[in-house]
Amino acid sequence: MRMYDIIKKKRDGFELSTEEINFFIKNYMSNEIPDYQVSALLMAIYYNGMNNRETADLTFAMRDSGEMLHFEGLNGLRVDKHSTGGVGDKTSLIVAPIVASLGVKVAKMSGRGLGHTGGTIDKLESIKGFKTDIPLNQFIDIVNDIGICIIGQTKDLAPADKRLYALRDVTATVESIPLVVSSIMSKKLAANDDCVVLDVKTGSGAICKTLEDSTKLASIMVDIGKKAGKNMMAIITDMDRPLGRNVGNSLEVIEAVQTLKGAGPEDLTEVCLVLASAMLNLAGYGDTETCRKMAMEQITSGKAFETFCKMVERQGGDASCIRDTNNFEKAKYTYTVLAPKSGYITYMNTEDIGIASLLLGAGRNKKEDNIDYSAGLILNKKTYEKVEAGEAMVTLYTNKPEAIEQVEAKILNATIIEDEIKDERPLVFKTII
Ligand code: URA
């Protein structure tokens, strides 16, 4: 078998066999196939796609490129939740403690920010002292004791994804459904949870911009998870507007704390309740309506917030920041972007809002860049809300005053204000099981 022939076959629109896909992953991982040939194959996949069988084969080959986690000694059903990536998406910080406070085990491995989207691990690391590189045996102990622990991905988990992702990032082949599916699902299957709820985003801030593509992405991921024996559900939620008002690492932790205390923004609270009830439902706690009430009760009783505090303490974090969010370090400079005219915000390009936060210092331009945890922005006004000309629309937080002018222009360019709202997108589109 030759890599050249595999590239040619996919270039010409033909289906790859299981053996060919296994050959490609195995020999790439043993450095027998160079990056330039893999780049060519990725581009051929980007243009010609893969059918569901090929996508499943690629996922399983990538999963098997490293170790599968086995949670010997962990008591109880493990349920995970994974988002395909968004702006202001801090749902894991809220949903995980809600379900853990009800007895579900959340042994979660999360990622860092990617492109214009934020990552749970970066957000948690904005809490002083919080450790995300905990050894596996300690990770299991913490989950057994308090029901929840969130760490970064271990390097042995689906290592083929790490290499392929880095190549996709520099060859303009990230936005390909089979490549996104295999990237996410190889890691989820290697992490080996019992149940997985996928939050598949759709809209201008998501990888899949259209509902049609997001539906396709969700359906294939659910099918592959089921094939591997997992209890799966996908929920398609809106990412044509940032979720909540805060974007940026410690700003998002602050908003997560407000939401865990029952004082969060309506859209964020709603998406969290939908995801938490889906996780509880998969774990056998009853129908989604009953589970939603249970999730809500964990917020109003303060139990979900207490579980979050326990997790922060057990993972070495300074819980005083969580109990009083004024203790978070603040950015040196703030700047207010004013509404240029009166009316309703009918659209805010969400990818641009994510990039604005990144330019203020909240994300990385290169893998090795440091993050400024205090940087980001707060949307005082957001999509579908009324503004008056000259009113504070967005507040910027940064330690890079030189970025402010460019960021202000980006936000104003990304925002459309009209006299009326013509149609409002739903927050939750559909569930796929
Ligand atoms: N998240 C991933 O882990 N991989 C992708 O390809 C996209 C989002």
Side-chain angles (χ1 to χ4, degrees):
M1 208 175 279
R2 292 193 314 157
M3 185 62 178
Y4 177 91
D5 298 319
I6 295 174
I7 297 167
K8 188 159 173 278
K9 199 170 171 188
K10 185 46 77 182
R11 182 201 69 186
D12 295 341
F14 294 104
E15 182 180 338
L16 299 180
S17 69
T18 307
E19 293 70 34
E20 286 163 336
I21 290 169
N22 288 341
F23 172 89
F24 145 54
I25 293 296
K26 184 165 171 278
N27 288 282
Y28 181 45
M29 291 312 285
S30 60
N31 298 316
E32 236 98 350
I33 299 174
D35 278 352
Y36 55 81
Q37 281 192 309
V38 175
S39 302
L41 180 62
L42 292 173
M43 193 55 86
I45 294 172
Y46 178 90
Y47 277 114
N48 290 325
M50 278 182 144
N51 64 24
N52 291 3
R53 199 271 310 147
E54 290 174 290
T55 308
D57 282 343
L58 180 59
T59 305
F60 298 144
M62 286 165 67
R63 172 198 64 190
D64 297 339
S65 66
E67 64 179 32
M68 293 259 288
L69 293 185
H70 292 285
F71 292 93
E72 274 97 22
L74 199 147
N75 317 309
L77 207 61
R78 277 170 291 112
V79 183
D80 195 7
K81 167 253 155 203
H82 184 86
S83 154
T84 56
V87 178
D89 180 6
K90 66 281 289 174
T91 53
S92 288
L93 305 181
I94 302 155
V95 169
I98 292 176
V99 301
S101 69
L102 283 160
V104 169
K105 299 290 188 225
V106 186
K108 189 161 174 49
M109 291 194 180
S110 289
R112 295 188 182 278
L114 201 65
H116 69 279
T117 66
T120 300
I121 290 302
D122 294 328
K123 292 169 202 180
L124 285 170
E125 285 180 352
S126 74
I127 304 167
K128 218 187 305 153
F130 195 99
K131 287 190 194 62
T132 56
D133 57 348
I134 293 173
L136 206 59
N137 58 343
Q138 227 174 307
F139 176 56
I140 292 175
D141 284 348
I142 297 176
V143 177
N144 270 334
D145 289 350
I146 63 168
I148 181 171
C149 187
I150 304 180
I151 60 171
Q153 238 118 36
T154 69
K155 67 178 185 338
D156 300 324
L157 201 86
D161 177 60
K162 233 164 246 137
R163 291 188 60 187
L164 287 178
Y165 199 94
L167 265 194
R168 288 166 60 208
D169 210 17
V170 293
T171 55
T173 51
V174 169
E175 298 93 343
S176 150
I177 289 178
L179 297 179
V180 173
V181 168
S182 53
S183 168
I184 292 177
M185 289 308 293
S186 60
K187 288 176 290 203
K188 290 292 113 184
L189 297 182
N192 210 8
D193 282 291
D194 302 300
C195 314
V196 182
V197 171
L198 299 165
D199 179 7
V200 177
K201 304 288 188 191
T202 194
S204 57
I207 288 185
C208 290
K209 312 285 185 211
T210 66
L211 184 58
E212 190 190 347
D213 277 352
S214 302
T215 305
K216 217 185 283 173
L217 179 70
S219 306
I220 303 172
M221 289 201 287
V222 165
D223 283 350
I224 289 177
K226 283 185 181 166
K227 228 180 228 159
K230 307 293 170 200
N231 210 351
M232 301 289 303
M233 191 187 291
I235 298 171
I236 302 187
T237 65
D238 194 33
M239 192 34 73
D240 211 43
R241 54 190 131 165
L243 194 53
R245 294 188 184 277
N246 294 17
V247 183
N249 297 288
S250 64
L251 291 171
E252 293 196 36
V253 175
I254 292 168
E255 194 172 52
V257 167
Q258 289 161 354
T259 308
L260 280 165
K261 289 181 164 176
E266 225 174 276
D267 60 345
L268 175 62
T269 305
E270 177 58 24
V271 172
C272 287
L273 287 173
V274 167
L275 293 173
S277 47
M279 288 171 83
L280 293 168
N281 171 257
L282 279 193
Y285 280 62
D287 60 41
T288 43
E289 214 30 62
T290 310
C291 291
R292 186 188 167 98
K293 284 194 192 115
M294 290 167 87
M296 193 64 223
E297 174 55 27
Q298 298 312 99
I299 293 179
T300 41
S301 66
K303 287 183 184 148
F305 175 66
E306 282 310 319
T307 301
F308 185 63
C309 291
K310 269 192 219 159
M311 178 186 82
V312 170
E313 277 159 12
R314 279 298 297 268
Q315 294 194 231
D318 177 4
S320 76
C321 296
I322 304 303
R323 297 206 178 271
D324 179 359
T325 53
N326 287 317
N327 290 333
F328 271 108
E329 206 168 298
K330 292 185 183 55
K332 245 201 229 140
Y333 301 90
T334 59
Y335 180 86
T336 310
V337 179
L338 305 177
K341 61 187 248 195
S342 298
Y344 291 91
I345 300 176
T346 52
Y347 181 70
M348 250 185 186
N349 184 298
T350 306
E351 182 167 351
D352 284 344
I353 299 297
I355 295 169
S357 170
L358 198 133
L359 293 171
L360 292 169
R364 299 176 184 83
N365 285 314
K366 296 190 298 301
K367 225 171 58 205
E368 50 287 347
D369 284 353
N370 284 326
I371 276 188
D372 177 354
Y373 293 119
S374 63
L377 52 93
I378 294 184
L379 302 161
N380 312 107
K381 296 286 171 182
K382 60 180 286 191
T383 316
Y384 308 132
E385 289 179 346
K386 195 166 189 245
V387 282
E388 297 298 332
E391 196 179 2
M393 190 168 73
V394 183
T395 307
L396 313 182
Y397 297 83
T398 189
N399 291 304
K400 296 203 297 191
E402 69 281 6
I404 289 174
E405 196 180 328
Q406 186 193 0
V407 168
E408 179 178 35
K410 193 164 210 43
I411 290 172
L412 290 173
N413 253 329
T415 307
I416 298 176
I417 299 174
E418 293 177 289
D419 291 340
E420 56 177 330
I421 300 168
K422 287 184 199 89
D423 48 2
E424 193 168 327
R425 286 164 67 92
L427 193 57
V428 178
F429 286 86
K430 54 175 140 172
T431 298
I432 293 168
I433 44 177

